[in-house]
Amino acid sequence: MTIVSGKAEARRTLQSARSDVLRKMWEHRADYAYVLPAIAVMLIVIAYPIYYTIELSFFNTPPGLQLRDKIFVGLNNYTAILTSGVFWQVTFNTLIWTVASTFFSFVLGFAAALALHRDFIGRGVLRAILIIPWVISAVAASYIWKWIYHSDFGIIGAVLVELGWAERPPNFIDSVSTVLPSLIVVNIWREFPFAMIMMTAGLQTVPEPLLRAAKVDGANAWQRFWHVTFPHLRNVSTVTILLLAVANFNSFIIPWIMTGGGPSNASHIWITHIYELAFGRQRWGVASAYSVLLFIILMTLGYFYVRALSGNERKDGGA
């Protein structure tokens, strides 16, 4: 009897909450008119493409057919993807690309932020120089690094040969074994300034009196960092890592411009593989199924990002 009454009470509470929401929406109906144009635009440019991509993922779209003649195949596209060897190779490449780029970008950016947090002559100039990789166009950076890595005319290969460290210039982006690490180096060079900026901002929030008090108590530099500085940077570190992970998982320009996914799919990640399937092979249904899976993964990362931000706001409010 108690369980039944508890369920009834919960149902009444839920109905009351819904009625309160509807009542408040009706009371503020005039306010919604101001955001209606923005909602309409979002529905057109965001909601409808998402819906159409999900719908298209259940159809077969041979290159010889127009989209209006697509053939319904149900979950066959998803089955074909999950049983494909290329899928698992691309997934492995994507994981290596995302984890390595995120980790080393964050570590290098954090180290740079710590180094630049101290006052010294030329600090402002050095900060400006280190930010250059982040503000430069990704397309321009990709072409520059493609030339630097060139097996015949690249500056790195020429220097290695000149110093006698190599008999001939290495094939950085033309070799299956070295292409992905070479692209990761470029991506780290491009992204670490973002982590540096975020962590520099976080370092400004560390209370200086706590650091002085820890120093007076006999704590060395590492103890002050680990017990005072790092706890205050935990929240901004989480947000920075999640932002880097989402950006890397969805990265396109560097791998596509520098290698186009080659050689032998060795540098293909999810987003470049989707692009090739859709615009290179006109396999819109399979590409849409890939996109749906990618959308789910990115939404999951976005969920953790929002949770991290909400946690920060609650802690700030409690303080």
Side-chain angles (χ1 to χ4, degrees):
M1 190 68 178
T2 305
I3 297 176
V4 174
S5 60
K7 289 183 177 179
E9 181 66 25
R11 193 179 299 110
R12 285 193 296 270
T13 303
L14 180 61
Q15 292 175 350
S16 176
R18 288 177 178 174
S19 62
D20 288 343
V21 171
L22 294 175
R23 179 176 55 80
K24 290 180 180 179
M25 291 178 64
W26 176 252
E27 291 176 354
H28 297 278
R29 60 189 181 278
D31 300 337
Y32 289 100
Y34 291 101
V35 297
L36 190 60
I39 295 176
V41 171
M42 291 181 64
L43 290 174
I44 293 173
V45 303
I46 298 178
Y48 177 73
I50 292 175
Y51 159 76
Y52 188 69
T53 300
I54 296 174
E55 179 190 7
L56 197 59
S57 69
F58 299 107
F59 288 85
N60 186 21
T61 57
L65 292 180
Q66 296 186 12
L67 280 179
R68 64 173 177 266
D69 300 323
K70 57 186 181 291
I71 304 167
F72 180 77
V73 293
L75 297 175
N76 285 4
N77 288 331
Y78 293 95
T79 304
I81 288 173
L82 296 176
T83 56
S84 169
V86 175
F87 166 77
W88 295 109
Q89 180 184 1
V90 171
T91 300
F92 178 75
N93 292 344
T94 305
L95 290 175
I96 295 298
W97 165 271
T98 303
V99 173
S101 296
T102 301
F103 176 77
F104 288 107
S105 294
F106 176 76
V107 171
L108 189 58
F110 197 178
L114 289 173
L116 294 175
H117 189 57
R118 299 180 178 181
D119 289 326
F120 58 88
I121 299 175
R123 183 177 67 167
V125 176
L126 186 57
R127 274 182 178 173
I129 293 173
L130 292 178
I131 291 175
I132 290 176
W134 188 52
V135 299
I136 193 174
S137 167
V139 175
S142 299
Y143 280 112
I144 291 171
W145 276 94
K146 190 175 182 179
W147 172 76
I148 291 174
Y149 279 147
H150 199 280
S151 58
D152 295 324
F153 312 108
I155 186 172
I156 296 179
V159 170
L160 292 177
V161 172
E162 186 68 24
L163 294 175
W165 294 352
E167 294 182 0
R168 60 183 307 276
N171 293 323
F172 289 105
I173 58 176
D174 298 324
S175 171
V176 172
S177 60
T178 60
V179 60
L180 192 59
S182 300
L183 294 183
I184 290 173
V185 169
V186 178
N187 199 42
I188 293 170
W189 171 83
R190 175 116 167 73
E191 286 192 334
F192 89 88
F194 170 75
M196 181 187 72
I197 293 172
M198 294 289 288
M199 301 312 295
T200 299
L203 286 170
Q204 308 300 321
T205 66
V206 179
E208 194 65 31
L210 285 180
L211 291 173
R212 289 197 296 266
K215 189 174 182 179
V216 170
D217 289 340
N220 57 33
W222 168 252
Q223 291 171 333
R224 292 196 301 272
F225 169 77
W226 185 250
H227 295 289
V228 179
T229 302
F230 187 72
H232 283 85
L233 299 177
R234 194 165 295 162
N235 294 331
V236 68
S237 298
T238 303
V239 171
T240 303
I241 290 172
L242 287 172
L243 287 175
L244 287 172
V246 171
N248 289 324
F249 204 93
N250 206 30
S251 182
F252 174 79
I253 295 177
I254 290 175
W256 182 257
I257 289 180
M258 293 188 66
T259 64
S264 301
N265 297 320
S267 63
H268 256 319
I269 58 177
W270 269 43
I271 193 68
T272 60
H273 190 50
I274 291 171
Y275 182 85
E276 183 188 29
L277 286 171
F279 299 99
R281 306 182 195 175
Q282 282 79 51
R283 298 182 63 189
W284 306 102
V286 177
S288 297
Y290 263 106
S291 300
V292 171
L293 295 175
L294 178 62
F295 177 73
I296 293 172
I297 294 172
L298 291 177
M299 287 295 291
T300 303
L301 291 174
Y303 167 76
F304 287 109
Y305 172 68
V306 171
R307 281 197 61 180
L309 288 181
S310 302
N312 293 349
E313 291 177 359
R314 284 195 295 268
K315 289 179 180 179
D316 294 341

